[in-house]
Amino acid sequence: MTGSVTLAASVPELILSIGAMLLLLVAGWRGDEASRGISWAAVALFVAASVSLIGAPSHAGIAYGGLYRADAFAGFAKLLIYIASAVSIMLAPGWFSRTGAMRAEYPVLILLSATGMGIMVSAGDLLTLYVGLELQSLAAYVLASCMRRDLRSAEAGLKYFVLGALASGILLYGISLLYGFTGTTQFSGIHAAIADRGLSTGILFGLVFVFAGLAFKISAVPFHMWTPDVYEGAPTPVTAFFASAPKVAAMALMVRVAVEAMGPATDAWRQIIIFSSLASIVLGAVAAIGQTNIKRLLAYSSINNVGFALIGLAAGTPEGVASVMTYMTVYIAMTLGSFLCIIRMRDLDGAPVESIAALSGLSRSRPGLAAALAMFMFSLAGIPPLFGFYPKLAVFGAATNAGYFWLAVAGAVGSVVGAYYYLKIVKTMYFDEPAPLLASSDDKIEGGLIALSALAISPLGYLAIPVLSAATLTAAKALF
Amino acid sequence: MNQLGFPILTILLAVPTFAAIACLFADAKAARWIALGATLVDFALGILLWVSYQVGGPQWQFVEHIGLFGSFGWSLGIDGIALMLIALSVFLMPICVLASWQAIEKRVPEYMAALLLTEVFMLGVFMAQDLYLFYIFFEAGLIPMYLIIGIWGGADRIYASYKFFLYTLLGSILMLIAMLWMVNFAHTTSIPVLMNTDFPPHVQTWLFLAFFASFAVKMPMWPVHTWLPDAHVQAPTAGSVILAGVLLKMGGYGFIRFSLPMFPEASAQLFWLVMTLSSIGIVYTSLVALVQSDMKKLIAYSSVAHMAFVTFGLFAFNRQGLEGALMVMLGHGIVSGALFLCVGVVYDRLHTREISRYGGVSTNMPRYAMLFLLFTMASVGLPGLSNFPGEFLAMMGTYRASSIAGVIAVTGIITGAAYMLYLYRRVAYGPLDKPDVAAMKDLSPRELLLLVPLALVTIWMGVYPESFMAPMRKDVGVVLARTDRAWKGGDAKVALNAHPTPAHAEGAHE
């Protein structure tokens, strides 16, 4: 493969990283007052990167001597990541301007993080995987603590960093074991080694450690502990970002490692995934019930949702992988929509409000916002006719078709438990007496984004199923 | 297309959908009129549907299919059974809107929107010809009903709304997994095709139980009926009417559309389960109804008892039983709706549902007492009124299937008469010694407008049930053709079986 083709395969990463450097310079020279311009420039970069996905980045195949994969799967995951990142940038200025702490580095850090995510989903080698993961994480640690004067934000950043470093260590240990026992770090090489020589104990240990490290990133049980604290402490736009793009990237990475590198050991990792999936569903559902802070509640909700997505992976079939990607697609629309609604919650002094009790009677004071949040809640619970039902149908369908219908049954029962706390939010907004008024907001961008995501998860979303299922199936087939 | 030349089923769904959206942007007065207009348009379309339905024509009529959603599609179509239930729904909806005209004072636009959305989803359930589409409509109905109970309900509304939602959700979600398995097995989501698919008998049992979990809750059958009294009591009058009138019929519809034709072997095998639950249910809930002090709760328990007639009849595996069950569903839809409206009438005046707070209203409210008596008698199963043909046929069918079950079913009639007449005596007769009761005014023209059509249909259904049974006859035959191979015949040695002479019940159907 010639150098130019190889470069062409990584155009989106080049656009984002070079753009991030330039914007960093602008931020250094112009300071925080340029943040609005930098934000829009960053959004433009994401648009450019998304457009560039049409060509080589989704079709070139293996690049950089096997370190890098530019296939339909990576293309699809990157598109989701770029959309989620761009939305995370767009929703920030309004929130930060109200708290007076918008910083020019925010969009730049998101750009860098997204670059790392792009590398993650395109990784063809354990080392590329690690580099991408660290680039994504380092930017994320800084983002979590970007409100320096806020104790909770600093705590969130520190906690995220310490636990993230631990997870990276676990991951690296797993990588070293895999390298030691297979003699290669390339996914294809590991695949071949397991297929030829079978699954030795050393490889199995490596596999377990790698999955543990990745489970931390998708916040699947039992590596979920950081999620509620970080989600609660980080500034809300950053939380929205954490809940969307990195989740997609880590999930896509997990799928790629599971299928491309560990394909012959499917029966071995399936047990891990099934345990992790069911534990996430149950814990995410049960632990959320007692929460009083809406951001913590959504953290448990994301744990819960990751559990459902993992059901699709446990199926281990192309259909299952496609259902995981379907799940993540709809999930980012639901989760970004919910966080957009939370960003709008402020008391009359402009301070952000995060308690669930503050939502009381919202349907009377702010009917539009309440209706949108109620839609997101019902959708997250997977109640038809909202579109959140379809990805659950897809993952349950994949599990059933692969012969794991008891897994689907367990997941389905878990979803009923989960429905309770989503209903609780709706109840608070619709049934309870109004709480003190929340300030009204006229931010057009936020309103537009809420309307857009509400539209996506409304019954009209079902019309997108043919496109979505074709795209996810193409993406999934690229791995097998 | 169909015999009308336009997609009438989609329009039936679209009218209330758009009206619901319009309601959200209207004020209270406009919302009421929009809702009334939309439900009346749907009623007119429903009449048109009934009139143009070809009795004895193709099994599925007014079929529409657009492969909109990839793995499944927008497929609608009705047979005679669905037609009758759609007719029932569109008939009850304008009445529900009128019943809420003054009773609902707060947040009227949202209420009307929720009511209209409930109509969309109910109609969708009866029209869907695609398995997933059916599920979507079946489940979606929970959201507006949850809001109706939770926002406009009584004092204990929040508990009731949660219970309603989670109970039904848990039941249905198991059905979803069974559906996924079926689609994987048969490689189609088309209900008409699946109705003729032979699933392996050992799997049928599991599939049957998964569907049973859903429909038994929806029905509701003892012992999973406990959500119903709570939901009924707390819901506003119109909510109770929809619940009793139509939503409960989804369970019976599910049994006859899915369980019996798709899993005939399992249905025959688990005959004992359904019969046992129905027997316990009819005795237990009738006795419970007898001791209620709350009017709505009494009628709610009577609903559970009546629904036991439906399950008795459906699982009798003969024509009398099935037709009787369907007639009970229709008759009960009308009568229980009317009874809830009757409770609503006095509740609007005195704001209590305690039976002991009333007494002697036949003196000062003669028109009300007369209509209430008519519906009470219909509920008891008096010949000539709507519930009689259904209950009689269902019991006859049950007796042929299992004589013990038949005997137990008959006790339901006796206890039914007891609790309904006891209720009526306490409310309408006796001395008019409570001043606030004596001050109650007789029915207003609006209330007469609600109750008189229901009374007319009650009499029509009792006097000439053939109008309702004719469209369903062929489709009952289709279901029977599926179950006959699995059913070994009942234990009762009825003369009908011994002599193949066309006795009146069977001969009339040929």
Side-chain angles (χ1 to χ4, degrees):
Chain A
M1 187 173 280
T2 62
S4 63
V5 173
T6 288
L7 268 186
S10 55
V11 167
E13 281 70 48
L14 293 174
I15 294 176
L16 293 181
S17 48
I18 295 172
M21 298 306 156
L22 291 175
L23 290 179
L24 195 59
L25 289 179
V26 177
W29 249 269
R30 297 291 308 280
D32 285 347
E33 71 261 31
S35 56
R36 204 166 268 269
I38 294 174
S39 298
W40 285 114
V43 172
L45 284 172
F46 278 119
V47 173
S50 307
V51 171
S52 76
L53 288 172
I54 296 169
S58 329
H59 307 289
I62 299 165
Y64 297 109
L67 289 173
Y68 202 80
R69 298 287 167 93
D71 51 17
F73 182 79
F76 186 80
K78 280 180 200 174
L79 184 63
L80 293 186
I81 291 166
Y82 296 159
I83 293 171
S85 306
V87 172
S88 308
I89 291 177
M90 282 193 275
L91 54 77
W95 193 86
F96 281 113
S97 69
R98 294 194 280 265
T99 47
M102 181 61 189
R103 303 188 52 92
E105 290 92 340
Y106 176 82
V108 177
L109 284 168
I110 288 197
L111 276 174
L112 287 172
S113 189
T115 312
M117 290 183 234
I119 297 173
M120 278 160 76
V121 297
S122 279
D125 187 293
L126 290 171
L127 292 177
T128 330
L129 175 162
Y130 186 72
V131 170
L133 196 73
E134 282 306 290
L135 178 55
Q136 180 264 320
S137 303
L138 282 173
Y141 302 144
V142 184
L143 278 173
S145 50
C146 76
M147 285 176 71
R148 280 172 305 173
R149 292 196 182 79
D150 184 29
L151 261 183
R152 284 195 313 165
S153 175
E155 184 197 330
L158 189 64
K159 213 172 241 171
Y160 195 18
F161 175 69
V162 172
L163 289 172
L166 180 69
S168 295
I170 294 173
L171 182 67
L172 265 185
Y173 184 54
I175 289 174
S176 70
L177 280 174
L178 283 181
Y179 176 60
F181 282 88
T182 59
T184 175
T185 53
Q186 293 213 340
F187 292 171
S188 51
I190 297 170
H191 190 283
I194 300 176
D196 289 348
R197 283 171 271 154
L199 188 69
S200 68
T201 313
I203 300 178
L204 187 63
F205 265 83
L207 182 154
V208 170
F209 279 109
V210 168
F211 273 103
L214 295 179
F216 177 88
K217 294 294 169 194
I218 58 169
S219 66
V221 175
F223 301 97
H224 64 282
M225 306 76 92
W226 58 276
T227 321
D229 292 337
V230 173
Y231 275 29
E232 185 189 359
T236 311
V238 176
T239 313
F241 174 67
F242 284 171
S244 53
K247 281 270 155 57
V248 178
M251 186 58 88
L253 178 62
M254 189 135 174
V255 170
R256 192 186 276 281
V257 171
V259 175
E260 268 192 358
M262 319 281 193
T266 300
D267 288 331
W269 58 254
R270 182 178 278 136
Q271 303 167 26
I272 305 175
I273 298 294
I274 288 178
F275 166 76
S276 185
S277 145
L278 290 182
S280 303
I281 292 173
V282 172
L283 187 125
V286 174
I289 292 173
Q291 301 304 323
T292 54
N293 180 301
I294 183 114
K295 280 161 80 181
R296 280 187 89 84
L297 184 127
L298 283 175
Y300 284 107
S301 151
S302 85
I303 295 172
N304 181 261
N305 276 290
V306 158
F308 284 112
L310 285 177
I311 290 184
L313 178 58
T317 55
E319 191 199 354
V321 170
S323 73
V324 175
M325 297 319 283
T326 307
Y327 202 100
M328 296 320 284
T329 312
V330 183
Y331 169 72
I332 58 167
M334 299 188 290
T335 199
L336 283 174
S338 319
F339 276 108
L340 276 160
C341 291
I342 293 167
I343 282 175
R344 289 217 139 183
M345 289 167 56
R346 288 174 299 119
D347 62 18
L348 293 172
D349 302 329
V353 176
E354 293 172 6
S355 79
I356 293 175
L359 287 169
S360 297
L362 195 69
S363 69
R364 267 175 274 182
S365 48
R366 307 276 301 281
L369 185 64
L373 190 52
M375 277 176 74
F376 294 126
M377 289 299 127
F378 278 125
S379 188
L380 280 166
I383 310 292
L386 296 163
F387 197 41
F389 164 70
Y390 179 71
K392 287 213 167 64
L393 180 79
V395 290
F396 292 155
T400 314
N401 293 356
Y404 291 87
F405 65 85
W406 57 268
L407 179 61
V409 170
V413 172
S415 81
V416 179
V417 182
Y420 173 75
Y421 64 84
Y422 295 120
L423 282 184
K424 203 173 81 171
I425 305 279
V426 177
K427 174 226 146 200
T428 313
M429 290 192 300
Y430 277 84
F431 303 173
D432 289 357
E433 289 308 310
L437 272 181
L438 295 177
S440 63
S441 170
D442 52 355
D443 195 316
K444 293 279 186 302
I445 299 171
E446 282 171 16
L449 286 172
I450 292 178
L452 211 61
S453 30
L455 200 66
I457 57 110
S458 75
L460 293 177
Y462 285 89
L463 297 175
I465 291 178
V467 180
L468 189 60
S469 57
T472 51
L473 208 60
T474 317
K477 292 244 169 81
L479 296 186
F480 285 88
Chain B
M1 204 81 218
N2 56 43
Q3 50 264 55
L4 284 168
F6 63 93
I8 185 167
L9 297 182
T10 302
I11 294 173
L12 265 170
L13 296 178
V15 170
T17 309
F18 288 112
I21 296 169
C23 275
L24 287 176
F25 296 97
D27 61 6
K29 192 160 177 279
R32 288 191 182 109
W33 285 106
I34 292 173
L36 184 64
T39 47
L40 283 175
V41 168
D42 255 24
F43 180 47
L45 286 169
I47 293 174
L48 180 63
L49 192 71
W50 191 351
V51 170
S52 45
Y53 181 84
Q54 293 161 355
V55 174
Q59 189 194 355
W60 301 101
Q61 302 189 18
F62 307 101
V63 175
E64 296 169 28
H65 177 84
I66 312 171
L68 273 184
F69 314 126
S71 50
F72 64 108
W74 180 257
S75 320
L76 304 175
I78 56 165
D79 62 355
I81 299 169
L83 171 75
M84 284 294 98
L85 290 165
I86 289 170
L88 174 71
S89 314
V90 294
F91 172 64
L92 285 176
M93 281 315 292
I95 295 177
C96 287
V97 173
L98 274 177
S100 326
W101 206 260
Q102 283 160 359
I104 302 296
E105 288 158 352
K106 55 169 191 176
R107 300 160 87 181
V108 177
E110 287 160 285
Y111 176 83
M112 290 299 169
L115 212 55
L116 288 166
L117 282 180
T118 313
E119 176 172 24
V120 176
F121 299 137
M122 289 184 319
L123 293 176
V125 164
F126 299 132
M127 291 173 188
Q129 277 206 314
D130 183 292
L131 206 55
Y132 293 152
L133 193 65
F134 170 83
Y135 184 82
I136 288 172
F137 283 128
F138 192 80
E139 283 281 90
L142 295 182
I143 296 178
M145 210 58 213
Y146 171 74
L147 295 176
I148 288 177
I149 298 174
I151 301 179
W152 297 278
D156 211 8
R157 59 186 197 276
I158 289 169
Y159 171 75
S161 62
Y162 273 123
K163 196 169 176 180
F164 164 76
F165 196 102
L166 295 175
Y167 235 93
T168 5
L169 182 63
L170 182 62
S172 340
I173 204 118
L174 295 173
M175 176 172 81
L176 177 66
I177 308 296
M179 286 179 168
L180 289 167
W181 194 92
M182 287 159 66
V183 170
N184 186 36
F185 177 85
H187 300 291
T188 176
T189 54
S190 157
I191 291 175
V193 176
L194 286 166
M195 279 171 75
N196 287 308
T197 305
D198 295 319
F199 294 100
H202 65 280
V203 187
Q204 274 190 25
T205 311
W206 293 107
L207 296 177
F208 178 88
L209 287 173
F211 275 73
F212 187 72
S214 174
F215 299 143
V217 169
K218 207 75 168 188
M219 196 80 196
M221 286 174 81
W222 184 88
V224 284
H225 66 283
T226 59
W227 64 269
L228 182 86
D230 286 311
H232 265 324
V233 171
Q234 300 305 331
T237 304
S240 302
V241 175
I242 296 180
L243 263 173
V246 187
L247 285 182
L248 302 191
K249 310 300 174 285
M250 288 183 187
Y253 177 75
F255 278 130
I256 202 163
R257 174 71 73 237
F258 297 95
S259 302
L260 290 172
M262 293 186 193
F263 323 123
E265 274 84 13
S267 303
Q269 203 178 55
L270 292 168
F271 164 78
W272 61 270
L273 174 72
V274 181
M275 286 296 157
T276 312
L277 293 183
S278 308
S279 300
I280 299 175
I282 205 162
V283 174
Y284 171 78
T285 50
S286 298
L287 293 176
V288 172
L290 207 50
V291 296
Q292 292 306 316
S293 58
D294 182 312
M295 285 196 222
K296 267 188 151 178
K297 221 165 192 165
L298 192 152
I299 297 168
Y301 277 107
S302 88
S303 287
V304 184
H306 277 101
M307 286 301 113
F309 278 119
V310 177
T311 41
F312 270 130
L314 287 177
F315 285 82
F317 300 97
N318 52 46
R319 185 171 278 280
Q320 287 85 348
L322 277 176
E323 290 192 344
L326 288 167
M327 284 304 288
V328 173
M329 279 162 64
L330 296 178
H332 175 263
I334 301 286
V335 172
S336 69
L339 285 171
F340 278 117
L341 287 172
C342 286
V343 175
V345 165
V346 287
Y347 181 79
D348 286 346
R349 288 166 173 67
L350 219 56
H351 296 285
T352 174
R353 292 181 303 260
E354 280 295 311
I355 299 173
S356 54
R357 287 283 292 105
Y358 296 91
V361 298
S362 59
T363 317
N364 60 332
M365 300 173 74
R367 288 196 198 120
Y368 172 75
M370 207 267 285
L371 284 167
F372 190 18
L373 181 66
L374 178 84
F375 296 124
T376 304
M377 287 302 161
S379 175
V380 166
L382 197 74
L385 295 175
S386 62
N387 281 14
F388 173 73
E391 289 182 8
F392 179 73
L393 282 173
M395 280 186 298
M396 200 162 128
T398 311
Y399 186 72
R400 280 181 63 188
S402 156
S403 45
I404 299 172
V407 170
I408 297 172
V410 175
T411 64
I413 296 281
I414 301 167
T415 39
Y419 60 72
M420 283 315 292
L421 293 177
Y422 186 41
L423 168 71
Y424 189 77
R425 187 192 71 77
R426 284 180 288 172
V427 173
Y429 297 152
L432 186 61
D433 51 3
K434 300 181 184 72
D436 50 353
V437 176
M440 293 201 301
K441 288 198 175 62
D442 205 353
L443 296 176
S444 68
R446 182 183 63 88
E447 287 160 342
L448 275 175
L449 194 63
L450 296 178
L451 292 171
V452 168
L454 285 165
L456 293 178
V457 174
T458 306
I459 296 169
W460 177 16
M461 212 178 259
V463 173
Y464 194 67
E466 176 63 13
S467 342
F468 302 90
M469 287 162 82
M472 302 194 288
R473 183 156 296 134
K474 190 160 167 263
D475 302 297
V476 168
V478 171
V479 175
L480 283 175
R482 292 282 298 164
T483 54
D484 271 348
R485 60 159 194 218
W487 178 241
K488 302 287 182 290
D491 65 346
K493 298 284 176 283
V494 186
L496 286 177
N497 280 350
H499 307 289
T501 46
H504 59 280
E506 251 179 357
H509 301 145
E510 301 311 321

